[in-house]
Amino acid sequence: MLKKILYVILGIIALPFLVGLFIKKDFGVERSVIIQKPLEEVFDYVSSVQNQANYAVWSQMDPDMKVEVTGIDRTVGFSSSWESDNPNVGSGKQTITYIEVNKRIDHKLEFAAPMESEANSWMLTEDAGAGQTKVTWGFETHTGYPMNMVFSLLGIEDAIGKDNETGLVNLKAILD
């Protein structure tokens, strides 16, 4: 009888780890907003990594975070490193990896704390007619087992999506 109870307990403990083998490992979100400004003006603003401090949620969580930039903003290779005592902000580096003027800017994100990981992010702009611009902010990452369980349990896609939505609302308030 004691052996059966032990097996049941071990099964209960092992079950989440087995389930984790089948949970997705790729996470991504995209959120969009319409801004009442012409495409060129909006792209010029969002293509600046340094402007993110004005609208991104993470920048606003710690206005005292240390930021160091390298290169020329709005150009491939420009990077912005940050360090914060706030565990929700952590530390890392964002580098521009691709630009298609008035259409797209891609970034590589390298997080150092609170945990090491990498992700990709992008801003897409497209003419929405009548002097308006649609801005789409995207994010994607791949995580291995067992961190995929943690990301799923934490609802990482919903959390990042909410932060991107808030950032886009802030962006709209600045540009509209």
Side-chain angles (χ1 to χ4, degrees), residues 60-79:
Q60 296 174 359
M61 285 182 188
D62 183 1
D64 297 324
M65 85 171 113
K66 297 175 193 126
V67 176
E68 186 176 314
V69 298
T70 305
I72 300 168
D73 201 357
R74 295 182 175 92
T75 64
V76 171
F78 174 82
S79 66

Side-chain angles (χ1 to χ4, degrees), residues 106-161:
D106 292 1
H107 308 98
K108 178 179 181 180
L109 301 169
E110 299 169 274
F111 301 101
M115 69 177 206
E116 289 186 20
S117 67
E118 289 185 0
N120 296 304
S121 125
W122 58 90
M123 299 286 275
L124 305 175
T125 55
E126 59 185 285
D127 190 332
Q132 301 177 95
T133 303
K134 179 180 179 183
V135 178
T136 301
W137 196 353
F139 175 92
E140 66 184 7
T141 190
H142 174 85
T143 186
Y145 173 83
M147 286 308 296
N148 63 325
M149 293 188 324
V150 174
F151 275 34
S152 291
L153 290 172
L154 293 176
I156 198 74
E157 286 174 317
D158 290 337
I160 291 170

Side-chain angles (χ1 to χ4, degrees), residues 4-141:
K4 287 183 182 179
I5 292 172
L6 182 59
Y7 288 140
V8 168
I9 291 171
L10 288 174
I12 291 171
I13 292 170
L15 185 63
F17 291 99
L18 290 172
V19 170
L21 293 171
F22 303 100
I23 293 177
K24 70 180 182 172
K25 294 174 179 66
D26 295 311
F27 299 87
V29 298
E30 277 193 348
R31 298 294 189 268
S32 299
V33 68
I34 301 290
I35 296 179
Q36 307 298 319
K37 293 284 184 191
L39 173 65
E40 295 80 11
E41 186 176 336
V42 173
F43 185 82
D44 183 60
Y45 192 83
V46 300
S47 65
S48 168
V49 172
Q50 292 176 298
N51 282 343
Q52 287 183 8
N54 301 324
Y55 61 89
V57 171
W58 309 282
S59 298
Q60 296 174 359
M61 285 182 188
D62 183 1
D64 297 324
M65 85 171 113
K66 297 175 193 126
V67 176
E68 186 176 314
V69 298
T70 305
I72 300 168
D73 201 357
R74 295 182 175 92
T75 64
V76 171
F78 174 82
S79 66
S80 175
S81 300
W82 72 92
E83 188 174 326
S84 172
D85 293 330
N86 182 331
N88 293 320
V89 177
S91 63
K93 180 178 177 181
Q94 177 176 358
T95 304
I96 297 175
T97 58
Y98 176 82
I99 299 173
E100 186 175 349
V101 176
N102 294 329
K103 292 187 187 250
R104 180 181 185 110
I105 182 162
D106 292 1
H107 308 98
K108 178 179 181 180
L109 301 169
E110 299 169 274
F111 301 101
M115 69 177 206
E116 289 186 20
S117 67
E118 289 185 0
N120 296 304
S121 125
W122 58 90
M123 299 286 275
L124 305 175
T125 55
E126 59 185 285
D127 190 332
Q132 301 177 95
T133 303
K134 179 180 179 183
V135 178
T136 301
W137 196 353
F139 175 92
E140 66 184 7
T141 190

